[in-house]
Amino acid sequence: MLGLCAATAAGQAYMRPALSDNWSAGISLGVTSPVKGHCFVRNMRPTLGFDLEKRVTPAFGLGAEAYFGFNTSRWPGHTYSHTSFDSSYLGAYGSIDFMRLTGDPCSPRLFTMGLRAGAGWGHNFMSGPAPGHSFFATKAGLFFNLNVSPRFTVSLSPSMLWNLSDAPSSTSSASYNSRRATFNLQAGVRYRFGREFECVALYDGAQIDALNGQINTLRAGLDKSTAAVKAAEERIAMLAAQLDQCRNSKPDIIREVTVDNRLNTVLDIFFLLGSSSVTADQMPNVERIALFMKNHPGSTVVIKGYASRDGNRTLNERLASRRAEAVKALLIKRYHIEPSRIEATGAGIGDLFEEDSWNRVSVCTIHND
């Protein structure tokens, strides 16, 4: 379950994800050396560290860490450790990210820095006047993070660790004494896993009331639209029923007889696919046109060529013109009809007949005025 956390001054809040989110794990290498009482450089030795951290808010986190000092140097008055390590520390800590205390806490940051402090138990593996033993310790330091990707971070962490169990001989109780402190410097890489924090905008009561008002208005409009759609569906159903009734009823045929003393005769000459040649079976129609025109010297003929929808439109338009010209050429050359009495034009793609192949035709209309 997501919980809403602290709001920022900009009217934002962040959502806290589940317990399994906002974790990071780190591994680091570094050096450690006593602060006083020993040679700082000569007694410096390498360390290996691990830590696991959970961010409880974008700026605050809790974690556990462990690091080990390798057995590579000698402390004055002590012999070497009999193990691979001179010292170790295991503790818990809290951290605060200074960069996320202001501004948008959820926005990605290339660089962040902050403070880390905690307490735990240290162990000295050295033999000699102070043989291997454990002690209570506190630790505090800074961290500098370079976020090279959404998941990976390169970090540098200087810190101080104080031994509070082994008090100096001059005091009777534990204290923060630099002679019982070590300086640590670690550099490493961290991997973040789980969901990151998400910021959400906060609204006041007036804004929420205004939004609720808009929602209610939209709901009222939706109800009206739903009613209008229902009415339209009912009208569509009614019109569909009327259409079915019209389709199923027998048509009333009204015959109209028109008396026209003028002779108007139409003959069709059909062509094969992609052809403008008049075939032998179509020649009787051409001959009827020629015979009529010879018997009626005042008659004329209008020839319109058509093509079907098959093939390229531009080519079909040219083919329609050639079909009209083919009939005209036959009337002139074979039957010696005067060219002035013949008008031949291409009418393009035809839709005279439902059967598309019949639209490969020249329609010849004879007029006798």
Side-chain angles (χ1 to χ4, degrees):
M1 181 68 66
L2 297 180
L4 189 63
C5 297
T8 68
Q12 286 186 325
Y14 57 84
M15 303 297 290
R16 183 174 59 210
L19 181 63
S20 60
D21 296 327
N22 292 306
W23 286 90
S24 64
I27 183 172
S28 61
L29 294 173
V31 293
T32 181
S33 183
V35 177
K36 280 189 177 182
H38 305 283
C39 179
F40 185 84
V41 176
R42 185 166 64 87
N43 289 281
M44 185 178 294
R45 57 196 184 279
T47 60
L48 172 65
F50 306 93
D51 73 276
L52 181 67
E53 182 177 311
K54 162 72 174 177
R55 305 300 297 178
V56 294
T57 74
F60 297 94
L62 297 174
E65 63 177 335
Y67 77 88
F68 304 89
F70 288 95
N71 181 5
T72 59
S73 61
R74 180 192 299 272
W75 291 66
H78 296 72
T79 61
Y80 283 112
S81 167
H82 295 294
T83 69
S84 299
F85 305 102
D86 282 344
S87 61
S88 66
Y89 172 77
L90 177 63
Y93 67 84
S95 66
I96 177 172
D97 190 329
F98 298 147
M99 308 294 287
R100 295 194 182 277
L101 289 176
T102 59
D104 183 356
C106 300
S107 63
R109 305 290 180 91
L110 177 63
F111 174 78
T112 59
M113 62 174 292
L115 175 67
R116 183 180 296 164
W121 291 96
H123 188 81
N124 181 7
F125 292 90
M126 305 291 284
S127 60
H133 67 287
S134 299
F135 55 89
F136 177 71
T138 59
K139 184 181 177 186
L142 301 174
F143 64 84
F144 303 92
N145 290 338
L146 181 63
N147 301 306
V148 296
S149 77
R151 292 293 181 184
F152 286 96
T153 296
V154 176
S155 63
L156 180 67
S157 304
S159 63
M160 292 281 289
L161 185 143
W162 289 273
N163 180 345
L164 299 183
S165 295
D166 302 330
S169 57
S170 59
T171 63
S172 58
S173 61
S175 63
Y176 286 92
N177 191 307
S178 60
R179 291 184 176 276
R180 308 299 297 173
T182 58
F183 173 77
N184 310 281
L185 180 63
Q186 293 171 275
V189 62
R190 305 185 63 80
Y191 175 74
R192 295 185 297 279
F193 53 93
R195 230 173 7 168
E196 296 292 328
F197 289 100
E198 299 178 7
C199 282
V200 296
L202 295 180
Y203 298 95
D204 57 25
Q207 290 175 313
I208 293 175
D209 292 340
L211 291 174
N212 285 332
Q214 293 179 12
I215 292 173
N216 292 332
T217 301
L218 292 174
R219 283 176 177 170
L222 178 61
D223 292 340
K224 291 181 180 178
S225 299
T226 302
V229 170
K230 185 177 180 180
E233 290 176 347
E234 292 175 352
R235 178 167 176 78
I236 290 172
M238 181 186 67
L239 293 175
Q242 293 177 355
L243 179 60
D244 289 339
Q245 183 180 2
C246 291
R247 285 174 175 171
N248 296 328
S249 61
K250 295 183 68 174
D252 295 329
I253 301 175
I254 301 175
R255 299 183 179 275
E256 219 177 89
V257 179
T258 303
V259 177
D260 190 352
N261 292 328
R262 297 181 304 166
L263 179 64
N264 189 326
T265 305
V266 178
L267 293 173
D268 297 325
I269 300 170
F270 295 95
F271 294 83
L272 297 178
L273 176 65
S275 173
S276 60
S277 299
V278 180
T279 56
D281 61 316
Q282 299 297 313
M283 285 301 298
N285 286 340
V286 179
E287 187 171 345
R288 289 190 187 98
I289 297 170
L291 182 59
F292 184 89
M293 295 185 74
K294 285 183 178 180
N295 293 333
H296 300 81
S299 64
T300 60
V301 63
V302 176
I303 305 171
K304 292 185 178 181
Y306 295 89
S308 64
R309 287 184 289 268
D310 302 298
N312 182 271
R313 184 178 184 86
T314 302
L315 296 178
N316 283 340
E317 290 176 351
R318 296 175 183 171
L319 184 59
S321 297
R322 290 201 300 271
R323 286 170 176 168
E325 292 294 335
V327 177
K328 179 180 179 179
L330 277 174
L331 291 173
I332 294 172
K333 293 180 180 179
R334 179 171 295 188
Y335 299 103
H336 309 291
I337 304 300
E338 292 85 351
S340 60
R341 300 172 61 192
I342 305 171
E343 179 184 344
T345 58
I349 306 301
D351 58 356
L352 303 175
F353 304 98
E354 292 184 1
E355 180 64 35
D356 193 42
S357 62
W358 291 8
N359 290 312
R360 305 169 193 141
V361 65
S362 284
V363 179
C364 306
T365 304
I366 302 173
H367 298 278
N368 186 29
D369 296 330

PDB file of all heavy atoms in Angstrom, residues 201-217:
ATOM      1  N   ALA A 201       1.401  16.110  -7.174  1.00  0.00           N
ATOM      2  CA  ALA A 201       0.973  17.459  -6.829  1.00  0.00           C
ATOM      3  C   ALA A 201      -0.130  17.402  -5.772  1.00  0.00           C
ATOM      4  O   ALA A 201      -0.978  16.517  -5.780  1.00  0.00           O
ATOM      5  CB  ALA A 201       0.475  18.192  -8.079  1.00  0.00           C
ATOM      6  N   LEU A 202      -0.076  18.362  -4.855  1.00  0.00           N
ATOM      7  CA  LEU A 202      -1.108  18.471  -3.821  1.00  0.00           C
ATOM      8  C   LEU A 202      -2.127  19.533  -4.227  1.00  0.00           C
ATOM      9  O   LEU A 202      -1.773  20.560  -4.813  1.00  0.00           O
ATOM     10  CB  LEU A 202      -0.477  18.858  -2.483  1.00  0.00           C
ATOM     11  CG  LEU A 202       0.482  17.830  -1.870  1.00  0.00           C
ATOM     12  CD1 LEU A 202       1.028  18.359  -0.560  1.00  0.00           C
ATOM     13  CD2 LEU A 202      -0.226  16.508  -1.630  1.00  0.00           C
ATOM     14  N   TYR A 203      -3.383  19.299  -3.904  1.00  0.00           N
ATOM     15  CA  TYR A 203      -4.441  20.250  -4.230  1.00  0.00           C
ATOM     16  C   TYR A 203      -5.171  20.630  -2.951  1.00  0.00           C
ATOM     17  O   TYR A 203      -5.379  19.801  -2.056  1.00  0.00           O
ATOM     18  CB  TYR A 203      -5.429  19.625  -5.214  1.00  0.00           C
ATOM     19  CG  TYR A 203      -4.817  19.261  -6.532  1.00  0.00           C
ATOM     20  CD1 TYR A 203      -4.354  17.969  -6.767  1.00  0.00           C
ATOM     21  CD2 TYR A 203      -4.678  20.213  -7.542  1.00  0.00           C
ATOM     22  CE1 TYR A 203      -3.772  17.627  -7.980  1.00  0.00           C
ATOM     23  CE2 TYR A 203      -4.099  19.881  -8.750  1.00  0.00           C
ATOM     24  CZ  TYR A 203      -3.652  18.587  -8.969  1.00  0.00           C
ATOM     25  OH  TYR A 203      -3.087  18.261 -10.164  1.00  0.00           O
ATOM     26  N   ASP A 204      -5.588  21.881  -2.898  1.00  0.00           N
ATOM     27  CA  ASP A 204      -6.348  22.300  -1.723  1.00  0.00           C
ATOM     28  C   ASP A 204      -7.834  21.981  -1.934  1.00  0.00           C
ATOM     29  O   ASP A 204      -8.255  21.506  -2.988  1.00  0.00           O
ATOM     30  CB  ASP A 204      -6.141  23.782  -1.443  1.00  0.00           C
ATOM     31  CG  ASP A 204      -6.524  24.667  -2.632  1.00  0.00           C
ATOM     32  OD1 ASP A 204      -7.363  24.213  -3.438  1.00  0.00           O
ATOM     33  OD2 ASP A 204      -5.991  25.780  -2.739  1.00  0.00           O
ATOM     34  N   GLY A 205      -8.641  22.250  -0.888  1.00  0.00           N
ATOM     35  CA  GLY A 205     -10.055  21.910  -0.940  1.00  0.00           C
ATOM     36  C   GLY A 205     -10.795  22.603  -2.063  1.00  0.00           C
ATOM     37  O   GLY A 205     -11.671  22.015  -2.709  1.00  0.00           O
ATOM     38  N   ALA A 206     -10.460  23.884  -2.312  1.00  0.00           N
ATOM     39  CA  ALA A 206     -11.145  24.632  -3.367  1.00  0.00           C
ATOM     40  C   ALA A 206     -10.884  24.012  -4.735  1.00  0.00           C
ATOM     41  O   ALA A 206     -11.791  23.907  -5.577  1.00  0.00           O
ATOM     42  CB  ALA A 206     -10.697  26.097  -3.353  1.00  0.00           C
ATOM     43  N   GLN A 207      -9.640  23.590  -4.972  1.00  0.00           N
ATOM     44  CA  GLN A 207      -9.317  22.960  -6.247  1.00  0.00           C
ATOM     45  C   GLN A 207     -10.073  21.647  -6.412  1.00  0.00           C
ATOM     46  O   GLN A 207     -10.584  21.331  -7.490  1.00  0.00           O
ATOM     47  CB  GLN A 207      -7.813  22.722  -6.344  1.00  0.00           C
ATOM     48  CG  GLN A 207      -6.994  23.997  -6.506  1.00  0.00           C
ATOM     49  CD  GLN A 207      -5.509  23.707  -6.486  1.00  0.00           C
ATOM     50  OE1 GLN A 207      -5.012  22.982  -5.636  1.00  0.00           O
ATOM     51  NE2 GLN A 207      -4.781  24.281  -7.428  1.00  0.00           N
ATOM     52  N   ILE A 208     -10.152  20.872  -5.332  1.00  0.00           N
ATOM     53  CA  ILE A 208     -10.848  19.589  -5.397  1.00  0.00           C
ATOM     54  C   ILE A 208     -12.338  19.823  -5.668  1.00  0.00           C
ATOM     55  O   ILE A 208     -12.955  19.116  -6.481  1.00  0.00           O
ATOM     56  CB  ILE A 208     -10.640  18.806  -4.096  1.00  0.00           C
ATOM     57  CG1 ILE A 208      -9.170  18.409  -3.958  1.00  0.00           C
ATOM     58  CG2 ILE A 208     -11.533  17.569  -4.056  1.00  0.00           C
ATOM     59  CD1 ILE A 208      -8.833  17.736  -2.664  1.00  0.00           C
ATOM     60  N   ASP A 209     -12.941  20.842  -4.990  1.00  0.00           N
ATOM     61  CA  ASP A 209     -14.358  21.139  -5.235  1.00  0.00           C
ATOM     62  C   ASP A 209     -14.593  21.549  -6.684  1.00  0.00           C
ATOM     63  O   ASP A 209     -15.594  21.162  -7.304  1.00  0.00           O
ATOM     64  CB  ASP A 209     -14.823  22.252  -4.291  1.00  0.00           C
ATOM     65  CG  ASP A 209     -14.865  21.788  -2.838  1.00  0.00           C
ATOM     66  OD1 ASP A 209     -14.909  20.559  -2.621  1.00  0.00           O
ATOM     67  OD2 ASP A 209     -14.841  22.650  -1.941  1.00  0.00           O
ATOM     68  N   ALA A 210     -13.660  22.372  -7.225  1.00  0.00           N
ATOM     69  CA  ALA A 210     -13.797  22.793  -8.620  1.00  0.00           C
ATOM     70  C   ALA A 210     -13.709  21.606  -9.571  1.00  0.00           C
ATOM     71  O   ALA A 210     -14.481  21.497 -10.534  1.00  0.00           O
ATOM     72  CB  ALA A 210     -12.724  23.832  -8.958  1.00  0.00           C
ATOM     73  N   LEU A 211     -12.784  20.688  -9.294  1.00  0.00           N
ATOM     74  CA  LEU A 211     -12.655  19.506 -10.132  1.00  0.00           C
ATOM     75  C   LEU A 211     -13.896  18.626 -10.029  1.00  0.00           C
ATOM     76  O   LEU A 211     -14.367  18.074 -11.043  1.00  0.00           O
ATOM     77  CB  LEU A 211     -11.408  18.711  -9.724  1.00  0.00           C
ATOM     78  CG  LEU A 211     -10.058  19.369 -10.044  1.00  0.00           C
ATOM     79  CD1 LEU A 211      -8.913  18.558  -9.454  1.00  0.00           C
ATOM     80  CD2 LEU A 211      -9.874  19.502 -11.554  1.00  0.00           C
ATOM     81  N   ASN A 212     -14.443  18.493  -8.812  1.00  0.00           N
ATOM     82  CA  ASN A 212     -15.671  17.709  -8.656  1.00  0.00           C
ATOM     83  C   ASN A 212     -16.830  18.339  -9.435  1.00  0.00           C
ATOM     84  O   ASN A 212     -17.661  17.630 -10.017  1.00  0.00           O
ATOM     85  CB  ASN A 212     -16.038  17.589  -7.177  1.00  0.00           C
ATOM     86  CG  ASN A 212     -15.143  16.609  -6.435  1.00  0.00           C
ATOM     87  OD1 ASN A 212     -14.633  15.669  -7.039  1.00  0.00           O
ATOM     88  ND2 ASN A 212     -14.956  16.827  -5.152  1.00  0.00           N
ATOM     89  N   GLY A 213     -16.873  19.682  -9.430  1.00  0.00           N
ATOM     90  CA  GLY A 213     -17.899  20.365 -10.210  1.00  0.00           C
ATOM     91  C   GLY A 213     -17.761  20.072 -11.696  1.00  0.00           C
ATOM     92  O   GLY A 213     -18.757  19.832 -12.391  1.00  0.00           O
ATOM     93  N   GLN A 214     -16.533  20.091 -12.187  1.00  0.00           N
ATOM     94  CA  GLN A 214     -16.298  19.771 -13.599  1.00  0.00           C
ATOM     95  C   GLN A 214     -16.702  18.331 -13.903  1.00  0.00           C
ATOM     96  O   GLN A 214     -17.295  18.043 -14.957  1.00  0.00           O
ATOM     97  CB  GLN A 214     -14.830  19.993 -13.947  1.00  0.00           C
ATOM     98  CG  GLN A 214     -14.395  21.445 -13.883  1.00  0.00           C
ATOM     99  CD  GLN A 214     -12.921  21.616 -14.217  1.00  0.00           C
ATOM    100  OE1 GLN A 214     -12.280  20.700 -14.692  1.00  0.00           O
ATOM    101  NE2 GLN A 214     -12.396  22.801 -13.938  1.00  0.00           N
ATOM    102  N   ILE A 215     -16.400  17.427 -12.971  1.00  0.00           N
ATOM    103  CA  ILE A 215     -16.763  16.021 -13.180  1.00  0.00           C
ATOM    104  C   ILE A 215     -18.274  15.872 -13.253  1.00  0.00           C
ATOM    105  O   ILE A 215     -18.815  15.153 -14.124  1.00  0.00           O
ATOM    106  CB  ILE A 215     -16.178  15.153 -12.054  1.00  0.00           C
ATOM    107  CG1 ILE A 215     -14.641  15.111 -12.165  1.00  0.00           C
ATOM    108  CG2 ILE A 215     -16.746  13.738 -12.090  1.00  0.00           C
ATOM    109  CD1 ILE A 215     -13.958  14.432 -11.009  1.00  0.00           C
ATOM    110  N   ASN A 216     -19.000  16.555 -12.351  1.00  0.00           N
ATOM    111  CA  ASN A 216     -20.459  16.463 -12.364  1.00  0.00           C
ATOM    112  C   ASN A 216     -21.045  17.028 -13.650  1.00  0.00           C
ATOM    113  O   ASN A 216     -22.013  16.496 -14.208  1.00  0.00           O
ATOM    114  CB  ASN A 216     -21.036  17.196 -11.150  1.00  0.00           C
ATOM    115  CG  ASN A 216     -20.697  16.500  -9.842  1.00  0.00           C
ATOM    116  OD1 ASN A 216     -20.508  15.283  -9.814  1.00  0.00           O
ATOM    117  ND2 ASN A 216     -20.595  17.265  -8.757  1.00  0.00           N
ATOM    118  N   THR A 217     -20.465  18.143 -14.133  1.00  0.00           N
ATOM    119  CA  THR A 217     -20.922  18.731 -15.396  1.00  0.00           C
ATOM    120  C   THR A 217     -20.708  17.763 -16.554  1.00  0.00           C
ATOM    121  O   THR A 217     -21.578  17.586 -17.423  1.00  0.00           O
ATOM    122  CB  THR A 217     -20.188  20.055 -15.659  1.00  0.00           C
ATOM    123  OG1 THR A 217     -20.435  20.968 -14.578  1.00  0.00           O
ATOM    124  CG2 THR A 217     -20.662  20.689 -16.956  1.00  0.00           C
TER     125      THR A 217
END
